[in-house]
């Protein structure tokens, strides 16, 4: 049974470039989360969707960040333009219903130079 | 909002030793999740506890939730190098209300 699938696993990009991270949640899950992990701040929730609709994007740091979920099996997190301080691991996660276990992908390691 | 603290921050043990990691909440826990993260990988769900006094085991890892539901412990028996990683507890409501602890970094020396 496939878990949450993220791509790319690693990305190194230059400051100012656009970065797009992709996620395929577990089939049947109706909640999708985007987290960011850094040494300084730990895991932070950026945004989450329920049935493809963004519910809470209060964790999105700036307007440079945007996320979409065009259908139940695909979501993107875009950073435009990217900055060095965006360097982090970005996790996508999904769950079924509220209060149930959240399953994580393996993360996208982003380095902005 | 709920806050989770973990102790110790890091731990180095010799292979075969037992160890305990603690997670303490600022509020009553209504669902406490334990995850493990290996370097370069995502979070792997280990166990979830809901009831006061509940205890669950998976292989050599045992997690408990105290009766007051404000503290959980994760105990590893006869540790192995494969147990190395970062252990995080998570709890709370949903969305922004679900929080993670800062993590405990475990190293197991062969």
């Amino acid at each position: 049974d496939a878990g949450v699938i993220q791509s790319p696993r690693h990305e190194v990009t230059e400051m100012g470039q656009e970065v797009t991270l992709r996620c395929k949640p577990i089939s049947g899950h109706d909640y999708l989360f985007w987290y960011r992990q850094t040494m300084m701040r730990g895991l932070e929730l950026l945004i989450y969707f329920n049935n493809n609709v963004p519910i809470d994007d209060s964790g999105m740091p700036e307007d440079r960040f945007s996320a979409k979920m065009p259908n139940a099996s695909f979501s993107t997190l875009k950073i435009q333009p990217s900055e060095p301080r965006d360097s982090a691991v970005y996790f996508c996660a999904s769950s079924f219903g509220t209060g149930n276990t959240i399953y994580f992908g393996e993360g996208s390691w982003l380095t902005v130079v | 909002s709920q806050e989770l603290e973990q102790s110790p921050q890091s731990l180095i043990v010799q292979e075969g030793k037992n160890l305990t990691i603690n997670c303490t909440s600022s509020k009553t826990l209504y669902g406490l999740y334990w995850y493990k993260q290996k370097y370069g990988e995502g979070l792997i769900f280990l166990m979830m506890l809901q009831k006061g006094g509940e205890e669950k085991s998976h292989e050599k890892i045992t997690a408990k939730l105290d009766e007051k539901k404000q503290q959980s412990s994760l105990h590893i028996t006869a540790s192995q190098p494969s147990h190395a990683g970062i252990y995080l507890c998570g709890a709370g409501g949903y969305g922004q209300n679900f929080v993670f602890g800062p993590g405990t970094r475990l190293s197991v020396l062969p």
Side-chain angles (χ1 to χ4, degrees):
Chain A
D1 192 17
V4 177
I5 299 172
Q6 292 185 245
S7 65
R9 287 296 316 279
H10 300 273
E11 173 128 0
V12 180
T13 191
E14 290 185 346
M15 182 174 62
Q17 296 297 307
E18 178 180 291
V19 174
T20 300
L21 308 179
R22 299 172 179 78
C23 175
K24 176 178 167 55
I26 293 173
S27 178
H29 281 190
D30 55 351
Y31 282 84
L32 183 139
F33 308 84
W34 281 101
Y35 283 89
R36 178 172 67 177
Q37 186 180 41
T38 61
M39 289 291 289
M40 292 297 294
R41 301 172 67 93
L43 269 167
E44 301 173 281
L45 178 64
L46 300 177
I47 184 172
Y48 77 97
F49 296 81
N50 176 223
N51 291 324
N52 314 336
V53 176
I55 303 301
D56 185 350
D57 65 354
S58 60
M60 297 284 261
E62 298 171 36
D63 291 344
R64 298 184 295 107
F65 286 70
S66 62
K68 293 182 180 179
M69 192 166 185
N71 57 63
S73 59
F74 184 67
S75 176
T76 59
L77 178 67
K78 189 173 291 188
I79 307 173
Q80 166 65 20
S82 58
E83 297 181 4
R85 59 193 168 119
D86 301 331
S87 299
V89 186
Y90 291 82
F91 287 106
C92 177
S94 70
S95 72
F96 176 70
T98 58
N100 293 323
T101 303
I102 301 172
Y103 293 92
F104 285 76
E106 294 196 330
S108 291
W109 293 64
L110 174 65
T111 302
V112 182
V113 297
Chain B
S1 62
Q2 187 160 29
E3 292 184 359
L4 298 175
E5 293 181 354
Q6 289 186 236
S7 62
Q9 285 187 334
S10 63
L11 194 54
I12 303 174
V13 299
Q14 204 71 40
E15 183 177 358
K17 296 294 185 183
N18 302 335
L19 64 105
T20 299
I21 297 168
N22 294 303
C23 175
T24 303
S25 172
S26 59
K27 296 184 179 181
T28 300
L29 292 162
Y30 291 104
L32 188 286
Y33 296 76
W34 282 102
Y35 289 86
K36 177 187 174 185
Q37 183 179 23
K38 286 193 168 183
Y39 184 75
E41 299 180 14
L43 279 71
I44 300 169
F45 169 70
L46 296 176
M47 281 172 276
M48 191 266 276
L49 305 165
Q50 278 187 307
K51 300 177 183 177
E54 185 175 8
E55 180 176 318
K56 287 187 178 179
S57 293
H58 175 68
E59 297 179 344
K60 293 185 178 180
I61 301 176
T62 301
K64 298 180 184 179
L65 183 60
D66 74 345
E67 290 288 346
K68 292 184 179 179
K69 296 172 66 175
Q70 281 200 274
Q71 186 172 44
S72 177
S73 61
L74 186 83
H75 184 78
I76 299 177
T77 303
S79 58
Q80 301 170 353
S82 61
H83 288 128
I86 301 172
Y87 290 82
L88 297 102
C89 58
Y94 223 69
Q96 287 292 359
N97 293 321
F98 189 91
V99 295
F100 286 91
T104 295
R105 186 180 297 273
L106 172 65
S107 300
V108 180
L109 304 177

